[in-house]
mmCIF file of all heavy atoms in Angstrom:
data_model
loop_
_atom_site.group_PDB
_atom_site.id
_atom_site.type_symbol
_atom_site.label_atom_id
_atom_site.label_comp_id
_atom_site.label_asym_id
_atom_site.label_seq_id
_atom_site.Cartn_x
_atom_site.Cartn_y
_atom_site.Cartn_z
ATOM 1 N N ALA B 408 -44.049 -11.583 -53.808
ATOM 2 C CA ALA B 408 -44.741 -10.305 -53.765
ATOM 3 C C ALA B 408 -45.372 -10.046 -55.128
ATOM 4 O O ALA B 408 -45.013 -10.651 -56.132
ATOM 5 C CB ALA B 408 -43.757 -9.196 -53.423
ATOM 6 N N ALA B 409 -46.300 -9.116 -55.122
ATOM 7 C CA ALA B 409 -47.144 -8.900 -56.293
ATOM 8 C C ALA B 409 -46.372 -8.564 -57.576
ATOM 9 O O ALA B 409 -46.780 -8.952 -58.660
ATOM 10 C CB ALA B 409 -48.140 -7.806 -55.991
ATOM 11 N N PHE B 410 -45.262 -7.861 -57.450
ATOM 12 C CA PHE B 410 -44.636 -7.358 -58.664
ATOM 13 C C PHE B 410 -43.377 -8.103 -59.057
ATOM 14 O O PHE B 410 -42.589 -7.631 -59.851
ATOM 15 C CB PHE B 410 -44.361 -5.861 -58.528
ATOM 16 C CG PHE B 410 -45.642 -5.097 -58.557
ATOM 17 C CD1 PHE B 410 -46.337 -4.855 -57.394
ATOM 18 C CD2 PHE B 410 -46.176 -4.696 -59.769
ATOM 19 C CE1 PHE B 410 -47.546 -4.209 -57.422
ATOM 20 C CE2 PHE B 410 -47.399 -4.037 -59.810
ATOM 21 C CZ PHE B 410 -48.085 -3.788 -58.629
ATOM 22 N N ASP B 411 -43.238 -9.294 -58.517
ATOM 23 C CA ASP B 411 -42.048 -10.065 -58.816
ATOM 24 C C ASP B 411 -41.808 -10.269 -60.289
ATOM 25 O O ASP B 411 -40.696 -10.169 -60.776
ATOM 26 C CB ASP B 411 -42.159 -11.431 -58.148
ATOM 27 C CG ASP B 411 -41.198 -11.511 -57.011
ATOM 28 O OD1 ASP B 411 -40.830 -10.434 -56.525
ATOM 29 O OD2 ASP B 411 -40.826 -12.625 -56.632
ATOM 30 N N PHE B 412 -42.888 -10.560 -60.993
ATOM 31 C CA PHE B 412 -42.712 -10.852 -62.419
ATOM 32 C C PHE B 412 -42.146 -9.635 -63.145
ATOM 33 O O PHE B 412 -41.496 -9.755 -64.155
ATOM 34 C CB PHE B 412 -44.051 -11.275 -63.033
ATOM 35 C CG PHE B 412 -45.069 -10.181 -63.078
ATOM 36 C CD1 PHE B 412 -45.201 -9.408 -64.217
ATOM 37 C CD2 PHE B 412 -45.877 -9.915 -61.979
ATOM 38 C CE1 PHE B 412 -46.147 -8.395 -64.249
ATOM 39 C CE2 PHE B 412 -46.800 -8.899 -62.011
ATOM 40 C CZ PHE B 412 -46.943 -8.130 -63.149
ATOM 41 N N LEU B 413 -42.403 -8.460 -62.616
ATOM 42 C CA LEU B 413 -41.874 -7.244 -63.236
ATOM 43 C C LEU B 413 -40.386 -7.074 -62.946
ATOM 44 O O LEU B 413 -39.609 -6.730 -63.816
ATOM 45 C CB LEU B 413 -42.596 -6.020 -62.645
ATOM 46 C CG LEU B 413 -43.764 -5.469 -63.430
ATOM 47 C CD1 LEU B 413 -44.307 -4.248 -62.720
ATOM 48 C CD2 LEU B 413 -43.305 -5.092 -64.851
ATOM 49 N N VAL B 414 -40.061 -7.281 -61.683
ATOM 50 C CA VAL B 414 -38.707 -6.938 -61.254
ATOM 51 C C VAL B 414 -37.723 -8.059 -61.551
ATOM 52 O O VAL B 414 -36.627 -7.827 -62.038
ATOM 53 C CB VAL B 414 -38.700 -6.600 -59.752
ATOM 54 C CG1 VAL B 414 -37.318 -6.156 -59.333
ATOM 55 C CG2 VAL B 414 -39.724 -5.521 -59.466
ATOM 56 N N GLU B 415 -38.157 -9.265 -61.251
ATOM 57 C CA GLU B 415 -37.240 -10.389 -61.472
ATOM 58 C C GLU B 415 -36.949 -10.496 -62.961
ATOM 59 O O GLU B 415 -37.825 -10.343 -63.788
ATOM 60 C CB GLU B 415 -37.862 -11.685 -60.963
ATOM 61 C CG GLU B 415 -36.822 -12.610 -60.400
ATOM 62 C CD GLU B 415 -37.450 -13.854 -59.805
ATOM 63 O OE1 GLU B 415 -38.643 -13.827 -59.470
ATOM 64 O OE2 GLU B 415 -36.733 -14.841 -59.697
ATOM 65 N N GLY B 416 -35.732 -10.727 -63.324
ATOM 66 C CA GLY B 416 -35.390 -10.788 -64.738
ATOM 67 C C GLY B 416 -34.922 -9.442 -65.246
ATOM 68 O O GLY B 416 -34.017 -9.367 -66.061
ATOM 69 N N LEU B 417 -35.498 -8.379 -64.742
ATOM 70 C CA LEU B 417 -35.045 -7.055 -65.161
ATOM 71 C C LEU B 417 -33.852 -6.617 -64.341
ATOM 72 O O LEU B 417 -33.056 -5.795 -64.754
ATOM 73 C CB LEU B 417 -36.154 -6.020 -64.958
ATOM 74 C CG LEU B 417 -37.329 -6.110 -65.919
ATOM 75 C CD1 LEU B 417 -38.361 -5.038 -65.579
ATOM 76 C CD2 LEU B 417 -36.852 -5.945 -67.363
ATOM 77 N N THR B 418 -33.776 -7.127 -63.125
ATOM 78 C CA THR B 418 -32.716 -6.664 -62.244
ATOM 79 C C THR B 418 -31.586 -7.685 -62.208
ATOM 80 O O THR B 418 -31.824 -8.885 -62.229
ATOM 81 C CB THR B 418 -33.249 -6.462 -60.813
ATOM 82 O OG1 THR B 418 -33.871 -7.680 -60.435
ATOM 83 C CG2 THR B 418 -34.222 -5.326 -60.768
ATOM 84 N N PRO B 419 -30.384 -7.140 -62.157
ATOM 85 C CA PRO B 419 -29.240 -8.045 -62.230
ATOM 86 C C PRO B 419 -28.806 -8.539 -60.853
ATOM 87 O O PRO B 419 -27.626 -8.620 -60.585
ATOM 88 C CB PRO B 419 -28.175 -7.138 -62.835
ATOM 89 C CG PRO B 419 -28.520 -5.782 -62.320
ATOM 90 C CD PRO B 419 -29.988 -5.743 -62.100
ATOM 91 N N ASP B 420 -29.741 -8.870 -59.997
ATOM 92 C CA ASP B 420 -29.305 -9.368 -58.695
ATOM 93 C C ASP B 420 -29.357 -10.882 -58.653
ATOM 94 O O ASP B 420 -29.818 -11.532 -59.591
ATOM 95 C CB ASP B 420 -30.113 -8.729 -57.554
ATOM 96 C CG ASP B 420 -31.589 -9.053 -57.623
ATOM 97 O OD1 ASP B 420 -31.925 -10.231 -57.818
ATOM 98 O OD2 ASP B 420 -32.401 -8.115 -57.484
ATOM 99 N N GLY B 424 -37.045 -15.201 -56.236
ATOM 100 C CA GLY B 424 -38.342 -14.537 -56.182
ATOM 101 C C GLY B 424 -38.805 -14.402 -54.755
ATOM 102 O O GLY B 424 -38.293 -15.052 -53.850
ATOM 103 N N GLY B 425 -39.790 -13.531 -54.543
ATOM 104 C CA GLY B 425 -40.327 -13.395 -53.205
ATOM 105 C C GLY B 425 -39.722 -12.252 -52.429
ATOM 106 O O GLY B 425 -40.259 -11.822 -51.423
ATOM 107 N N LEU B 426 -38.612 -11.728 -52.907
ATOM 108 C CA LEU B 426 -37.981 -10.622 -52.196
ATOM 109 C C LEU B 426 -38.868 -9.382 -52.283
ATOM 110 O O LEU B 426 -39.423 -9.084 -53.336
ATOM 111 C CB LEU B 426 -36.613 -10.324 -52.849
ATOM 112 C CG LEU B 426 -35.838 -9.126 -52.330
ATOM 113 C CD1 LEU B 426 -35.452 -9.348 -50.880
ATOM 114 C CD2 LEU B 426 -34.589 -8.915 -53.165
ATOM 115 N N VAL B 428 -40.274 -5.966 -52.993
ATOM 116 C CA VAL B 428 -39.905 -5.135 -54.155
ATOM 117 C C VAL B 428 -39.142 -3.887 -53.740
ATOM 118 O O VAL B 428 -38.276 -3.398 -54.466
ATOM 119 C CB VAL B 428 -41.144 -4.710 -54.988
ATOM 120 C CG1 VAL B 428 -41.676 -5.891 -55.771
ATOM 121 C CG2 VAL B 428 -42.205 -4.073 -54.121
ATOM 122 N N ARG B 431 -35.651 -4.887 -53.250
ATOM 123 C CA ARG B 431 -35.027 -5.178 -54.534
ATOM 124 C C ARG B 431 -34.687 -3.875 -55.268
ATOM 125 O O ARG B 431 -33.620 -3.749 -55.858
ATOM 126 C CB ARG B 431 -35.973 -6.037 -55.363
ATOM 127 C CG ARG B 431 -35.407 -6.436 -56.687
ATOM 128 C CD ARG B 431 -36.088 -7.698 -57.201
ATOM 129 N NE ARG B 431 -35.264 -8.855 -56.950
ATOM 130 C CZ ARG B 431 -35.714 -10.104 -56.940
ATOM 131 N NH1 ARG B 431 -36.974 -10.360 -57.131
ATOM 132 N NH2 ARG B 431 -34.888 -11.094 -56.728
ATOM 133 N N LEU B 432 -35.566 -2.905 -55.191
ATOM 134 C CA LEU B 432 -35.312 -1.626 -55.864
ATOM 135 C C LEU B 432 -34.048 -0.983 -55.306
ATOM 136 O O LEU B 432 -33.133 -0.627 -56.050
ATOM 137 C CB LEU B 432 -36.511 -0.687 -55.653
ATOM 138 C CG LEU B 432 -36.335 0.715 -56.214
ATOM 139 C CD1 LEU B 432 -36.667 0.718 -57.699
ATOM 140 C CD2 LEU B 432 -37.213 1.721 -55.477
ATOM 141 N N ASN B 435 -30.664 -2.649 -55.914
ATOM 142 C CA ASN B 435 -30.119 -2.564 -57.270
ATOM 143 C C ASN B 435 -29.817 -1.119 -57.649
ATOM 144 O O ASN B 435 -29.909 -0.752 -58.831
ATOM 145 C CB ASN B 435 -31.089 -3.194 -58.263
ATOM 146 C CG ASN B 435 -31.011 -4.712 -58.195
ATOM 147 O OD1 ASN B 435 -29.973 -5.300 -58.482
ATOM 148 N ND2 ASN B 435 -32.086 -5.344 -57.746
ATOM 149 N N ALA B 462 -46.776 6.740 -57.928
ATOM 150 C CA ALA B 462 -46.659 5.320 -58.279
ATOM 151 C C ALA B 462 -45.473 4.687 -57.550
ATOM 152 O O ALA B 462 -45.552 3.563 -57.050
ATOM 153 C CB ALA B 462 -46.506 5.163 -59.785
ATOM 154 N N PHE B 466 -46.032 1.519 -55.173
ATOM 155 C CA PHE B 466 -45.511 0.182 -55.483
ATOM 156 C C PHE B 466 -44.208 -0.153 -54.763
ATOM 157 O O PHE B 466 -43.946 -1.290 -54.438
ATOM 158 C CB PHE B 466 -45.335 0.021 -56.999
ATOM 159 C CG PHE B 466 -46.624 0.163 -57.752
ATOM 160 C CD1 PHE B 466 -46.750 1.049 -58.798
ATOM 161 C CD2 PHE B 466 -47.740 -0.587 -57.366
ATOM 162 C CE1 PHE B 466 -47.960 1.185 -59.470
ATOM 163 C CE2 PHE B 466 -48.951 -0.453 -58.033
ATOM 164 C CZ PHE B 466 -49.069 0.443 -59.091
ATOM 165 N N PHE B 467 -43.398 0.866 -54.562
ATOM 166 C CA PHE B 467 -42.072 0.576 -53.993
ATOM 167 C C PHE B 467 -41.868 1.194 -52.606
ATOM 168 O O PHE B 467 -40.837 0.985 -51.987
ATOM 169 C CB PHE B 467 -40.960 1.089 -54.914
ATOM 170 C CG PHE B 467 -40.924 0.404 -56.250
ATOM 171 C CD1 PHE B 467 -41.395 1.032 -57.386
ATOM 172 C CD2 PHE B 467 -40.427 -0.886 -56.362
ATOM 173 C CE1 PHE B 467 -41.359 0.401 -58.618
ATOM 174 C CE2 PHE B 467 -40.391 -1.531 -57.601
ATOM 175 C CZ PHE B 467 -40.868 -0.885 -58.728
#
Side-chain angles (χ1 to χ4, degrees):
Chain B
F410 289 89
D411 251 23
F412 67 94
L413 264 182
V414 184
E415 214 176 339
L417 288 179
T418 54
D420 62 47
L426 175 64
V428 287
R431 182 157 260 161
L432 176 83
N435 283 297
F466 299 127
F467 296 104

